[in-house]
């Protein structure tokens, strides 16, 4: 599993799309942090109305993860599982390790790549602000944990990479809209999205922030269950 994890993690950095996404997130984080740092009055005004200093500095990262997170992860990892099936490389992998270890290794390798990506951005903010905003960092981790597990599930259920590429674009656009709308609306048709998507849990208590992780683990377990019964 460690070999699969490390291979998936390192391969993620070889993609042009991945590099562009890292540069984009880092650049936006740097620009927003320097702007905030050069306008201390803005921080004081936001704190006066009940905001937190950390939220001001990390707002750009939060917006990117919340709005573009699904799209970015699908763009780089929509074929995380099904490409191995299409290329028949999964048959070689299962001779060396179990299917469960393959799934968990790929999940952790992809998650580690995204954790590294946001860690770079938070490190930039730390250099500028002098503070590491742990709560906001944990928020980003929880959200990415959920997204990566969901991408693993989609890539396991649908065995054609072209289909998951299309679904990735569809989900990447639709899910943030549905998630944010359900978090602020009480419409009956949005209720399932309110509880299945992670948006509403991030503004609650510390305990609620673990709900998306639990849902993500369920997605991963379903993916492993499906993989165990696939005819390779």
């Amino acid at each position: 599993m460690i070999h699969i994890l490390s291979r998936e993690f390192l391969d993620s950095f070889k993609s042009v799309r991945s590099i562009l996404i890292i540069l984009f997130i880092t650049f936006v984080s740097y620009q927003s942090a320097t702007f905030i740092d050069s306008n201390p009055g803005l921080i004081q005004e936001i704190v006066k109305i009940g905001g937190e200093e950390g939220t001001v500095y990390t707002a750009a990262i939060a917006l990117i993860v919340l709005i573009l997170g699904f799209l970015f992860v699908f763009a780089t990892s929509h074929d995380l599982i099904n490409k191995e099936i299409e290329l028949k490389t999964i048959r070689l992998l299962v001779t060396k390790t179990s299917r469960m270890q393959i799934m968990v290794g790929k999940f952790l390798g992809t998650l580690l790549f995204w954790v590294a990506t946001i860690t770079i951005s938070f490190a930039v903010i730390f250099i500028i602000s002098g503070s590491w905003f742990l709560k906001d960092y944990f928020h980003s981790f929880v959200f990415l944990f959920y997204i990566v597990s969901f991408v693993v599930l989609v890539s396991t259920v649908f065995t054609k990479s072209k289909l998951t590429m299309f679904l990735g674009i569809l989900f990447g656009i639709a899910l943030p809209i549905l998630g944010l709308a359900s978090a602020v609306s009480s419409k009956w048709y949005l209720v399932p999205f309110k509880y299945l998507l992670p948006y509403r849990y991030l503004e609650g208590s510390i305990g609620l922030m673990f709900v998306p992780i639990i849902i993500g683990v369920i997605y991963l377990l379903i993916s492993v269950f499906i993989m165990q019964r696939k005819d390779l």
Side-chain angles (χ1 to χ4, degrees):
M1 185 179 76
I2 300 299
H3 171 71
I4 295 173
L5 186 159
S6 59
R7 190 193 73 175
E8 200 63 48
F9 174 70
L10 294 175
D11 284 351
S12 296
F13 289 96
K14 298 176 183 178
S15 166
V16 174
R17 282 175 293 184
S18 299
I19 298 300
L20 290 175
I21 289 172
I22 293 173
L23 292 175
F24 171 74
I25 296 175
T26 305
F27 176 76
V28 172
S29 302
Y30 171 77
Q31 290 294 329
S32 63
T34 52
F35 173 78
I36 295 298
D37 196 56
S38 61
N39 293 273
L42 181 61
I43 299 176
Q44 295 173 4
E45 289 298 322
I46 293 178
V47 171
K48 284 181 181 178
I49 61 176
E52 298 179 3
E53 180 182 352
T55 304
V56 180
Y57 277 102
T58 61
I61 299 178
L63 285 174
I64 291 173
V65 173
L66 292 177
I67 298 175
L68 298 176
F70 278 99
L71 193 62
F72 281 173
V73 178
F74 267 110
T76 59
S77 306
H78 69 90
D79 58 353
L80 184 63
I81 305 300
N82 55 29
K83 72 177 178 183
E84 302 286 1
I85 298 175
E86 286 184 330
L87 297 175
K88 308 298 183 182
T89 51
I90 191 72
R91 296 180 179 178
L92 176 63
L93 292 175
V94 296
T95 62
K96 298 180 178 181
T97 186
S98 69
R99 298 188 186 195
M100 184 180 75
Q101 289 186 336
I102 293 171
M103 299 294 287
V104 174
K106 283 184 162 292
F107 166 77
L108 292 177
T110 304
L111 178 63
L112 187 59
F113 164 77
W114 285 103
V115 169
T117 299
I118 63 166
T119 300
I120 293 171
S121 296
F122 272 85
V124 169
I125 294 174
F126 172 75
I127 293 171
I128 296 171
S129 67
S131 300
W132 189 282
F133 304 105
L134 191 58
K135 180 181 177 181
D136 301 289
Y137 182 76
F138 183 64
H139 276 175
S140 299
F141 169 79
V142 169
F143 203 85
L144 289 170
F145 185 99
Y146 178 97
I147 295 176
V148 174
S149 62
F150 181 74
V151 170
V152 170
L153 177 60
V154 172
S155 187
T156 305
V157 172
F158 300 98
T159 56
K160 300 296 182 182
S161 59
K162 290 183 178 179
L163 177 58
T164 51
M165 181 172 64
F166 168 75
L167 291 175
I169 297 172
L170 180 64
F171 287 143
I173 296 172
L175 292 182
I177 295 173
L178 292 171
L180 292 170
S182 64
V184 298
S185 173
S186 57
K187 300 289 187 181
W188 64 268
Y189 51 82
L190 291 175
V191 171
F193 300 106
K194 177 179 292 188
Y195 293 101
L196 286 176
L197 294 176
Y199 294 89
R200 74 179 297 268
Y201 301 111
L202 298 181
E203 293 303 319
S205 64
I206 296 295
L208 281 178
M209 285 195 294
F210 286 95
V211 175
I213 294 180
I214 295 172
I215 297 174
V217 170
I218 293 172
Y219 288 160
L220 186 59
L221 291 175
I222 294 173
S223 302
V224 172
F225 178 80
I226 294 172
M227 180 57 72
Q228 295 280 26
R229 282 153 181 77
K230 272 188 181 293
D231 184 11
L232 305 177

